[in-house]
Amino acid sequence: MTLTPDKGSSAELAPGAETTPVSALAWHRQAIKQRLLDGATAAEVMAALTEFVDGLVRDRYRDAMKQAGEGAQIAGAQHCCLVALGGYGQRELAPYSDIDIMFLYSEEAGEAAPVLFREVLHHLWDLGFQVGHSMRTIHDCIELAGQDLSIRTAMMTARFLAGSPNLFQKFHRLYAKEVVGRGAGRFIEQKKEERQREYLKFGQTIYLLEPNVKKSKGGLRDFHLLRWAGMARFQAATVQDLADRSLLSRQDFLSVTEARDFIWRVRAFLHVGAGMAQEILSFDEQVRIAALYGFEDRPHLLGVEQFMQQYYRHTTGLHQTLLRFLDRCQAASAKRRSARVAPANMVDGFFAVTGRNVTVPSELRARVLDSPDLLLRLFEMAGSRRLKIEADLVDEIHSHMDSVSSEAFRTPEASRVFLKILSGPGAVATTLDAMHRAHLLEKLIPVFAALRGLMQFNQYHKYTVDEHTLLAVGKAEALAMEPGIMGVVYQEIRRKDLLHLAILLHDLGKGRKEDHCEVGKAIAEDTAARLGLDQQETRTLMFLVHRHLLMSHTAFRRDPYDENVLVPFAQEVVTPEVLRMLLILTAADIAAVGPGVLTKWKESLLVELYLRTLRAISGEQDDKMAGPNSLKRLTREVAQEFKTLVVGGLDWIESQLDRYPLRYLHGTPPKRIASHLEAIAKLQAGDVLAEGIFNEDLGTCEFTVITHDHLTPGIFSKTSGVMAAQGLEILDAQIITRNDGVVVNTFQASDPDFVGVPPDERLADTAETIIRVLKGEESVEQLRRRKIRLSSGSQLPGERHASEVVIDNKISNQFTVIDVFADDTQGLLYIITNAIFRLGLSVQSARISTRLDDDIQQSLRTGGRHEVVDVFYVTDQRGEKIEDQDRLEAIRSTIKQDIDLFMNPQVGAPDNVSVGSALSV
């Protein structure tokens, strides 16, 4: 195929322009870009580019032979050949791909071989190609293939280009016999291990926010691995060969080829957009390519979200087909050993168990496939016994589900077995995931089909809706092994089937224009009816799904010691059993958002609210540490961590612990509490103690500031300003003022200036600077002038949304509560706290950098999309709640103006706002 640009296309050469190989290459790339925009497939443009490059290589090889003389012509025609390898060998050149060429020669070629190869290679370099190259004899090829996995793999796709066809055929024959036809099992295992290493490097989930289309899970490398495995195990050169020989089902063949073609085209758009080999599907590129595909925003779903949903559906299908095919490759090897294995053990008359595998004999398969009850019993047995369902049976179930109505699964027996699967113990998430991959789960919960691969375009969730919910079930199960309160609570839940079902359903209302909590409530009601739940079970399920955000909203943004917060929450939850379920659902939901999202600090806030509420609704626990002896137990644990003897002994430690709020005692390890108490024991009037360490568990810089609250006004604000000026990004802040006036503030921060552990001097310098500023030896403004990080001329990346400041004067009897919604930005916390300080307010407690998912924003009815909400409980300087409405409005508008000016300095400051004060970073 020859590409011809449209009339008037930018790919046309200027009249009279000299056609050189370089200009021809540029012309072809421009033509490829235009053809892609006009709707050409990636296969078409890759084939055209490959044909063009083949022509360049062959022409240069012929020219080199002519220029080198008669001897070289003979050698080049009879004893040498050029061979395309890798993606070039497969005719799969993306617009800016590297090309991989091998110069194959025999000893008879003599000195002519390197001369010819050098001429071809230098010519390709001059044209601007990135060339992977090698020069080998057939013996070299066989020997190196046994030593290097990458070399072995690349030569499996060898394709003749120019020179001696006889030499190439000899190589091809010997390579197939000596390499490809031997050690297939070991080769496949090595390639799987290699791919696992790539997953570690390029992303272990299909649902990365910015995936590498080639090497991330579900990318083109998965397609390559499937093809390599097919070549090695079944000597099938293409996926079409695998399908023709029934080694791939028709459904899997379509899934693989459609995914391949889709990713090929996305990759081609990435290349021509960047003018280079770009493999990362960044946020900006997602938006651009979504528009090229014609996706338009809908009220409930952005165009880019629709595009990425399609991308994830393709990559998910490709990856799951790969896993099934690799299982088939292993099964093919295992069958050769089956004669030596004991006969299968039949279970329930239908299921044949051999070792750790289970299948259905061929003569019984039709009956099992046509029986929803038996299919569910198969998955229940596999899960409870930790067995693996054989790949060919999973393939058949997958294919068969398309012809089965969900109504066929609406039977009492199917419901009974499904609830048994949900009850566990153990392997619930694994079993549900297997059912989802086989398209069986959606027969029980039909909405699951529509949510397959649904990804929301935000930086909060790392997974699609379906994977997130399944992962959340697994996170809940994992809590059973936790040694703390979470583990105890999970084990105490009686109806784990209802818990796991609620987790499975909690986000299934997404992807629609209505509030997903309201939609989820209706889905829960319908599911309860399908499964035959009674009225009480239905009410519990509907509440958990409908109000699954209630506990995180309350724990992370409100004070559980305020009766105005605690009583309404307890009245909604009603019973200890529902409270336990809601705690586990909330923790599992947060943990399944992404790695490290459920921090120990967040967990401690949830536990604190749980314990307070449990006491309020049942009196099961006392007010301190979940038991009358818990404070004394913690006292002993803390005492063991002291480095020196404590004056006053255990009594002193217990008296000190009793001065802290409960959230501190739950959220701080005994070792850290001991270090804080050791510092407090030495604290004198006018002292500031500050320390910076690297928290290995969280991967963050942790700074602790201990002083007296009367030392200086605005301790919190000034500390935030120092950290912003130092270039640190505050992730979380624990603001503690004990009832004796001792301040123990702890900040978690990232340091963009360093990858991994920052130098000790960096931590020490920040701590020393905090001390100087709090003692009045230097101001934040002076520090800003020395170490300016953000200024009025800074250009903050990406689209910014107008901030929102909401004042809630009803939720607390003692404090005015300020909610600040904004895009997360380095220095934001200081801008807010500095405004609060200048307004003459005192921060009594705070919830910092609570990341907002879009569904939380929807439930909060905020006016736009924001990344975080920071919450501040404040009083005036007399320690009283602010009641005057005019002053409340002044507080709200001042904070908002300062934030908006900081976020968008080019807009200019209002007359009544000081630029200097707003930007004192």
Side-chain angles (χ1 to χ4, degrees):
M1 169 186 164
T2 302
L3 289 173
T4 305
D6 293 343
K7 186 176 181 180
S9 163
S10 60
E12 289 188 78
L13 292 173
E18 181 183 357
T19 304
T20 65
V22 175
S23 63
L25 175 61
W27 183 90
H28 269 79
R29 283 174 168 160
Q30 284 297 322
I32 282 171
K33 182 176 182 177
Q34 187 60 46
R35 285 296 302 275
L36 284 169
L37 294 174
D38 291 342
T41 67
E44 290 173 335
V45 298
M46 288 193 303
L49 182 58
T50 301
E51 181 181 342
F52 171 70
V53 175
D54 283 354
L56 291 177
V57 171
R58 287 167 179 152
D59 289 346
R60 188 58 181 172
Y61 187 72
R62 284 193 294 268
D63 290 345
M65 285 197 299
K66 291 177 182 178
Q67 294 171 7
E70 184 178 350
Q73 290 183 37
I74 296 173
Q78 298 180 5
H79 305 299
C80 304
C81 69
L82 285 175
V83 181
L85 302 178
Y88 182 32
Q90 288 285 347
R91 294 185 172 88
E92 295 171 3
L93 275 184
Y96 287 86
S97 289
D98 298 350
I99 59 176
D100 192 357
I101 291 180
M102 178 174 70
F103 191 84
L104 188 66
Y105 70 100
S106 63
E107 297 297 338
E108 291 83 355
E111 295 298 323
V115 173
L116 291 173
F117 189 37
R118 185 164 54 248
E119 287 297 318
V120 173
L121 190 59
H122 285 193
H123 180 63
L124 293 173
W125 283 338
D126 291 342
L127 293 177
F129 284 108
Q130 296 293 320
V131 185
H133 58 281
S134 56
M135 186 171 177
R136 300 168 185 148
T137 64
I138 293 177
H139 175 76
D140 293 336
C141 293
I142 305 296
E143 186 175 36
L144 288 170
Q147 301 171 0
D148 189 296
L149 186 64
S150 296
I151 292 175
R152 171 175 176 161
T153 307
M155 288 192 291
M156 289 171 67
T157 59
R159 178 172 62 87
F160 175 74
L161 287 174
S164 171
N166 292 333
L167 180 65
F168 177 78
Q169 289 299 327
K170 181 180 179 182
F171 155 77
H172 191 267
R173 186 173 59 255
L174 286 173
Y175 196 80
K177 177 183 177 182
E178 300 294 332
V179 178
V180 179
R182 295 185 179 182
R186 177 59 181 153
F187 169 76
I188 293 172
E189 283 302 314
Q190 289 177 323
K191 294 304 293 185
K192 285 171 62 178
E193 292 169 4
E194 179 183 68
R195 191 73 183 107
Q196 287 296 329
R197 291 192 293 272
E198 287 182 334
Y199 292 155
L200 287 173
K201 184 175 181 180
F202 294 99
Q204 297 188 68
T205 173
I206 291 168
Y207 308 106
L208 290 174
L209 294 177
E210 296 182 304
N212 183 307
V213 299
K214 184 176 180 181
K215 294 188 177 181
S216 292
K217 184 176 285 189
L220 285 175
R221 271 287 183 260
D222 276 6
F223 169 71
H224 296 155
L225 177 53
L226 186 150
R227 188 167 59 191
W228 293 327
M231 289 179 182
R233 175 59 69 196
F234 303 112
Q235 293 75 54
T238 65
V239 290
Q240 182 68 61
D241 291 342
L242 292 171
D244 291 344
R245 292 164 57 184
S246 299
L247 296 167
L248 268 185
S249 68
R250 172 174 170 74
Q251 192 170 13
D252 279 349
F253 172 72
L254 290 175
S255 176
V256 166
T257 52
E258 288 173 2
R260 176 201 64 191
D261 294 346
F262 182 85
I263 300 171
W264 271 350
R265 195 159 189 261
V266 170
R267 188 186 186 207
F269 275 129
L270 287 174
H271 279 217
V272 297
M276 58 184 290
Q278 173 60 268
E279 311 294 353
I280 304 297
L281 187 54
S282 67
F283 288 129
D284 289 342
E285 287 298 280
Q286 290 170 27
V287 173
R288 182 179 72 86
I289 297 175
L292 293 175
Y293 270 84
F295 289 102
E296 297 180 353
D297 292 350
R298 301 175 187 168
H300 62 290
L301 205 61
L302 298 175
V304 67
E305 292 172 340
Q306 299 167 54
F307 165 69
M308 290 306 292
Q309 182 175 11
Q310 190 172 121
Y311 177 87
Y312 292 125
R313 280 178 174 169
H314 282 305
T315 53
T316 299
L318 173 57
H319 183 69
Q320 291 178 354
T321 301
L322 168 68
L323 296 180
R324 288 194 296 271
F325 184 72
L326 292 176
D327 284 345
R328 173 168 286 133
C329 290
Q330 289 180 316
S333 177
K335 285 180 180 178
R336 298 170 186 170
R337 302 189 298 269
S338 61
R340 301 191 299 270
V341 178
N345 176 35
M346 294 299 295
V347 177
D348 293 343
F350 292 97
F351 312 123
V353 178
T354 304
R356 305 309 305 164
N357 296 312
V358 60
T359 189
V360 175
S362 56
E363 65 272 16
L364 298 174
R365 285 202 177 184
R367 185 173 172 185
V368 171
L369 290 172
D370 288 334
S371 170
D373 298 349
L374 289 175
L375 282 173
L376 286 169
R377 282 168 58 189
L378 167 67
F379 281 91
E380 188 278 325
M381 186 195 68
S384 62
R385 298 191 181 195
R386 305 295 200 276
L387 300 176
K388 183 175 184 178
I389 302 173
E390 288 195 355
D392 63 330
L393 178 56
V394 174
D395 286 348
E396 285 196 52
I397 296 171
H398 183 198
S399 300
H400 187 68
M401 284 301 100
D402 288 342
S403 61
V404 179
S405 166
S406 61
E407 289 303 307
F409 284 77
R410 198 165 184 168
T411 68
E413 177 62 12
S415 297
R416 184 192 68 79
V417 179
F418 184 48
L419 290 173
K420 186 177 180 182
I421 289 171
L422 290 167
S423 296
V428 176
T430 302
T431 304
L432 293 174
D433 183 61
M435 292 168 64
H436 184 44
R437 286 188 284 112
H439 290 215
L440 178 61
L441 186 57
E442 62 202 48
K443 302 302 176 182
L444 294 148
I445 306 174
V447 72
F448 240 93
L451 294 172
R452 188 181 296 273
L454 176 62
M455 182 73 178
Q456 295 210 53
F457 192 66
N458 61 59
Q459 296 193 37
Y460 186 76
H461 275 100
K462 302 296 185 289
Y463 307 109
T464 59
V465 173
D466 52 339
E467 188 181 29
H468 165 72
T469 56
L470 292 167
L471 184 60
V473 176
K475 294 293 185 182
E477 287 186 280
L479 290 174
M481 308 306 295
E482 290 287 321
I485 291 177
M486 287 289 188
V488 173
V489 170
Y490 180 85
Q491 291 166 7
E492 288 178 346
I493 293 172
R494 295 187 295 272
R495 291 298 302 275
K496 292 187 176 62
D497 53 346
L498 287 182
L499 167 67
H500 295 146
L501 182 58
I503 296 173
L504 194 63
L505 299 179
H506 79 277
D507 266 356
L508 298 194
K510 288 188 174 180
R512 308 189 195 185
K513 62 182 178 181
E514 300 88 1
D515 182 345
H516 88 286
C517 295
E518 297 296 332
V519 176
K521 180 181 179 182
I523 292 172
E525 185 174 22
D526 178 68
T527 302
R530 290 179 64 90
L531 296 178
L533 302 183
D534 64 28
Q535 288 186 354
Q536 181 57 47
E537 293 166 339
T538 300
R539 282 196 297 269
T540 298
L541 182 66
M542 290 174 64
F543 170 78
L544 291 171
V545 175
H546 183 222
R547 301 292 280 154
H548 71 269
L549 299 173
L550 175 64
M551 195 165 198
S552 59
H553 178 115
T554 306
F556 298 158
R557 298 183 55 224
R558 296 294 179 249
D559 184 356
Y561 289 89
D562 194 320
E563 291 298 309
N564 289 355
V565 172
L566 187 64
V567 172
F569 178 78
Q571 288 173 341
E572 284 211 61
V573 174
V574 180
T575 70
E577 176 76 353
V578 173
L579 176 62
R580 294 184 189 101
M581 289 184 179
L582 186 58
L583 172 64
I584 299 302
L585 189 159
T586 304
D589 184 19
I590 296 170
V593 165
V597 176
L598 181 62
T599 63
K600 288 294 183 183
W601 175 240
K602 288 180 181 177
E603 187 176 318
S604 73
L605 297 177
L606 293 173
V607 169
E608 179 182 43
L609 176 60
Y610 166 79
L611 294 174
R612 294 278 297 159
T613 309
L614 187 62
R615 180 173 181 266
I617 62 179
S618 69
E620 291 185 15
Q621 306 289 351
D622 78 353
D623 193 38
K624 264 299 188 191
M625 295 295 294
N629 298 316
S630 295
L631 186 60
K632 293 186 180 298
R633 183 172 63 250
L634 179 61
T635 298
R636 291 191 296 271
E637 292 174 358
V638 170
Q640 292 174 358
E641 300 292 345
F642 269 78
K643 298 176 183 177
T644 58
L645 292 176
V646 183
V647 177
L650 294 178
D651 290 341
W652 181 84
I653 295 175
E654 184 173 348
S655 70
Q656 292 294 314
L657 294 181
D658 202 40
R659 297 179 186 276
Y660 286 100
L662 183 59
R663 59 180 172 270
Y664 172 88
L665 302 180
H666 276 297
T668 312
K671 187 174 182 179
R672 293 294 291 153
I673 295 176
S675 68
H676 293 168
L677 293 183
E678 286 179 327
I680 290 170
K682 302 173 185 176
L683 188 66
Q684 301 295 320
D687 277 355
V688 179
L689 305 176
E691 178 191 34
I693 64 169
F694 186 77
N695 188 317
E696 295 282 355
D697 293 334
L698 301 179
T700 61
C701 300
E702 181 175 295
F703 292 90
T704 302
V705 179
I706 299 175
T707 188
H708 292 100
D709 60 354
H710 56 72
L711 173 74
T712 181
I715 292 173
F716 181 23
S717 172
K718 291 174 181 177
T719 305
S720 301
V722 171
M723 297 178 71
Q726 293 282 100
L728 298 169
E729 297 177 356
I730 297 174
L731 305 174
D732 198 5
Q734 182 186 33
I735 309 305
I736 300 293
T737 301
R738 304 194 324 175
N739 58 20
D740 60 352
V742 172
V743 173
V744 182
N745 292 346
T746 304
F747 296 81
Q748 301 293 339
S750 64
D751 192 339
D753 290 350
F754 297 93
V755 177
V757 183
D760 291 341
E761 309 84 70
R762 166 72 163 171
L763 298 170
D765 178 61
T766 301
E768 290 165 5
T769 306
I770 291 171
I771 293 172
R772 289 201 308 275
V773 169
L774 294 185
K775 285 188 171 183
E777 298 171 4
E778 186 173 15
S779 69
V780 173
E781 287 72 18
Q782 290 170 329
L783 186 63
R784 170 184 173 257
R785 286 192 289 271
R786 288 197 299 109
K787 296 185 175 183
I788 188 164
R789 287 286 181 154
L790 290 177
S791 68
S792 58
S794 298
Q795 296 297 314
L796 300 173
E799 181 184 357
R800 293 286 169 183
H801 307 95
S803 62
E804 295 184 58
V805 179
V806 178
I807 295 181
D808 188 339
N809 230 18
K810 297 179 181 179
I811 195 67
S812 174
N813 293 328
Q814 293 178 276
F815 308 111
T816 294
V817 180
I818 302 174
D819 293 319
V820 179
F821 301 87
D823 291 337
D824 195 14
T825 305
Q826 181 187 351
L828 173 65
L829 181 59
Y830 175 64
I831 296 302
I832 300 170
T833 55
N834 187 42
I836 291 172
F837 169 58
R838 289 186 293 104
L839 286 162
L841 305 176
S842 176
V843 177
Q844 301 300 318
S845 65
R847 297 285 194 268
I848 301 302
S849 294
T850 301
R851 289 200 167 270
L852 290 180
D853 183 11
D854 286 348
D855 53 2
I856 298 178
Q857 294 184 52
Q858 189 178 36
S859 71
L860 297 178
R861 303 297 192 273
T862 60
R865 293 188 175 206
H866 305 99
E867 290 185 19
V868 295
V869 55
D870 291 342
V871 183
F872 305 89
Y873 280 68
V874 303
T875 63
D876 61 19
Q877 291 186 343
R878 296 172 299 176
E880 297 177 358
K881 184 177 178 179
I882 299 94
E883 300 286 0
D884 183 77
Q885 291 300 314
D886 290 338
R887 190 177 182 200
L888 288 172
E889 176 56 27
I891 291 169
R892 188 201 66 78
S893 61
T894 299
I895 296 173
K896 177 173 170 54
Q897 286 172 352
D898 279 15
I899 296 171
D900 288 345
L901 180 60
F902 173 66
M903 293 290 195
N904 301 289
Q906 67 275 13
V907 174
D911 293 340
N912 62 335
V913 178
S914 165
V915 175
S917 66
L919 297 175
S920 297
V921 188

